[in-house]
Amino acid sequence: MAISTQVVIIGGGPAGLLLSQILQLNNIDSIVLERQSRAHVLSRIRAGMLEWGSVEVLRAAQVSERMDREGAVHEGSGIAWAGRSRLLINTQKYAGRSMMMYGQTQLTEDLYAARDDLGGEIINQVDDVRLHDLKGERPYVTYIKDEQEQRIDCDYIAGCDGFHGVSRTAIPESVLTTFEKKYPFAWLAVMSETPPLPVPTYCHHERGFALVSKRTPMLSRYYIQVPIETDIDDWSDDRFWAELTARLPKDYAETIVTGPTIEKSLAPLSSFVAEPMSYGRLFLAGDAAHILPPTGAKGLNLAISDVHYLSNGLIDHYQNNNDQQLDNYSTTALKRVWNAARFSWWLTGLLHKFPDQTRFDQRAQEVELDYVTQSIHAMRSMCEQYAGMPLE
Ligand code: RFL
């Protein structure tokens, strides 16, 4: 027997959970369908840098209590470059907005807890999710749960099921245009229960890029650029720490506290944007529509801004019978997505060592860095984009 709700949300990651939370606070019913178990979703370690616009969306969604208590507010991130003085992308000074360091894992825990508190409906471990009648007045979703096929009728479907989800593939190829750029390297990431270095810092080095970052006062996150064909099993903890410290400025290498890693993963770098982000009564949000290299820390922030625009549109539909924001959702969201895509492409190009890099390319990177250091206009532009463009 079919059940019904107002909005079916496919995917229980940050985008899907946040959307269901905001909708419920505005008396709109939704059901979240998630392929994985809750434990699996909560075990993922991913992003950690929140723009201030994201912080405000999370506060309005009543999921900010722990973030405001445990998150680390900082004024920006550093860039370290051999032979040059340290640069701070000071978003507070040049863009008037701080950044918040708070792990995606913790945020997802908070979102699940908030959904439980309000009695939100999340169905985990569903298989074979299919979307139907997207162009009709009454679309529906079918899925398998405990070997039984189920059906949910609804007004709208939100595709929040990440890059490998099914929602985007429900849009006919003739309608969808995709834009893709793959980089010839990946980031090898580790998490360790060690005190982090004070300022998150991007390090350009002739051996390759490195990033020092943090999650909590006793949880550090480190990344190094590695070739795309890297086998993670070749990287013992000792080898990782040796390579990381070789790429860090001397004062960092001397003060860093190393220890056993609690997670190690490999993330190939690529950019992908799908247009449009809506089709009939389906709306894509977050990684379902776009992924960006983590260099600019935009992935999670875009998932949050997409949800901000989409929830505004749905609220306006249900509360005011006005569809204008929903009709404009794809255009509005894509404007911000492309800004972030361009910025993370630029920052990736500035900071990494490319395999085919010539002396000319290297010099151009150095001049680019000197330009943002010396030009107040270039510095403001970088800080404005790193801080995240304001939400409309
Ligand atoms: P998610 O988090 O991928 O959640 C999608 C959810 O949908 C579920 N799903 C399905 N459910 C039902 N049916 C299906 N057919 C389904 N297919 C998939 C999945 O199980 C999952 O639970 O997407 P969302 O919500 O849009 O959130 C986006 C963010 O997760 C993502 O942008 C960031 O984590 C990207 N990212 C990073 N971003 C940053 O800003 N800074 C970082 O340092 C950073 N590190 C990362 C990252 C992404 C990584 N991944 C995906 C490889 C590190 C990694 C390893």
Side-chain angles (χ1 to χ4, degrees):
M1 205 175 67
I3 49 173
S4 81
T5 188
Q6 287 170 306
V7 183
V8 170
I9 299 173
I10 305 174
L17 295 170
L18 179 62
L19 179 62
S20 66
Q21 172 76 0
I22 298 175
L23 293 183
Q24 185 161 359
L25 292 174
N26 288 279
N27 301 315
I28 300 167
D29 292 334
S30 69
I31 297 175
V32 176
L33 297 176
E34 165 59 50
R35 189 173 53 183
Q36 304 286 356
S37 68
R38 179 183 289 217
H40 183 278
V41 173
L42 292 176
S43 70
R44 293 185 189 128
I45 298 176
R46 291 183 177 173
M49 182 96 78
L50 294 173
E51 299 170 357
W52 210 255
S54 301
V55 168
E56 283 171 353
V57 172
L58 295 170
R59 284 181 178 164
Q62 300 176 16
V63 286
S64 63
E65 196 196 322
R66 183 160 67 136
M67 175 187 75
D68 282 325
R69 208 173 50 239
E70 296 178 8
V73 177
H74 63 102
E75 54 187 17
S77 299
I79 297 181
W81 198 294
R84 284 168 162 72
S85 44
R86 198 91 34 93
L87 173 76
L88 186 66
I89 312 174
N90 194 329
T91 59
Q92 179 54 44
K93 181 170 173 185
Y94 295 110
R97 296 192 289 282
S98 302
M99 309 289 286
M100 170 79 84
M101 193 62 94
Y102 189 64
Q104 180 172 330
T105 315
Q106 286 68 35
L107 175 60
T108 310
E109 281 171 8
D110 299 345
L111 284 163
Y112 262 113
R115 299 311 301 122
D116 288 347
D117 281 352
L118 293 183
E121 193 165 354
I122 303 167
I123 307 176
N124 285 92
Q125 293 177 293
V126 299
D127 276 325
D128 199 20
V129 171
R130 290 174 197 228
L131 296 74
H132 307 268
D133 280 357
L134 298 175
K135 284 287 203 182
E137 287 289 300
R138 199 73 185 144
Y140 63 98
V141 175
T142 55
Y143 60 97
I144 308 283
K145 173 76 183 168
D146 299 331
E147 294 172 19
Q148 302 282 322
E149 182 168 272
Q150 310 284 345
R151 168 176 165 154
I152 309 178
D153 296 331
C154 56
D155 300 331
Y156 295 103
I157 300 173
C160 303
D161 47 353
F163 183 64
H164 299 289
V166 289
S167 301
R168 189 178 65 251
T169 63
I171 302 179
E173 274 180 31
S174 57
V175 175
L176 205 66
T177 307
T178 59
F179 302 82
E180 197 163 11
K181 179 169 180 63
K182 287 184 188 301
Y183 290 89
F185 41 74
W187 281 13
L188 176 60
V190 311
M191 187 75 99
S192 76
E193 285 172 326
T194 48
L197 290 160
V199 182
T201 305
Y202 297 97
C203 306
H204 174 89
H205 193 276
E206 60 180 22
R207 298 178 70 94
F209 166 87
L211 170 59
V212 303
S213 190
K214 57 183 172 180
R215 292 294 180 265
T216 69
M218 260 315 282
L219 205 53
S220 301
R221 184 78 161 148
Y222 297 109
Y223 305 88
I224 54 171
Q225 173 189 350
V226 290
I228 192 80
E229 61 277 6
T230 294
D231 181 348
I232 201 164
D233 293 336
D234 292 340
W235 284 85
S236 64
D237 286 1
D238 285 349
R239 184 178 176 201
F240 181 85
W241 292 121
E243 187 58 39
L244 175 70
T245 48
R247 297 181 188 189
L248 299 185
K250 200 157 167 279
D251 58 325
Y252 278 14
E254 282 169 2
T255 50
I256 191 171
V257 180
T258 62
T261 63
I262 56 169
E263 191 253 4
K264 208 179 272 155
S265 59
L266 209 54
L269 265 63
S270 60
S271 307
F272 174 93
V273 180
E275 292 184 358
M277 285 172 60
S278 61
Y279 175 73
R281 288 182 169 249
L282 166 68
F283 297 90
L284 303 179
D287 279 17
H290 41 74
I291 48 169
L292 301 181
T295 326
K298 294 298 177 203
L300 178 58
N301 290 297
L302 283 182
I304 293 173
S305 58
D306 288 351
V307 165
H308 169 77
Y309 296 131
L310 179 54
S311 56
N312 279 351
L314 290 166
I315 293 164
D316 216 18
H317 167 82
Y318 285 109
Q319 291 183 355
N320 307 318
N321 204 17
N322 185 343
D323 284 344
Q324 199 179 343
Q325 292 191 64
L326 270 187
D327 292 344
N328 292 340
Y329 166 70
S330 176
T331 311
T332 313
L334 279 168
K335 218 163 92 185
R336 208 164 185 286
V337 167
W338 271 112
N339 234 302
R342 192 212 68 82
F343 179 68
S344 55
W345 161 80
W346 174 80
L347 198 61
T348 302
L350 174 69
L351 296 171
H352 288 78
K353 189 90 186 158
F354 287 74
D356 57 354
Q357 191 157 329
T358 61
R359 280 207 300 272
F360 179 94
D361 298 330
Q362 170 73 23
R363 185 54 61 85
Q365 277 182 330
E366 289 163 6
V367 172
E368 179 88 41
L369 183 78
D370 290 343
Y371 177 58
V372 287
T373 309
Q374 289 153 18
S375 160
I376 188 72
H377 307 291
M379 177 60 95
R380 285 215 175 100
S381 165
M382 176 171 70
C383 290
E384 179 184 37
Q385 294 176 86
Y386 192 66
M389 303 306 278
L391 291 171
E392 284 173 31

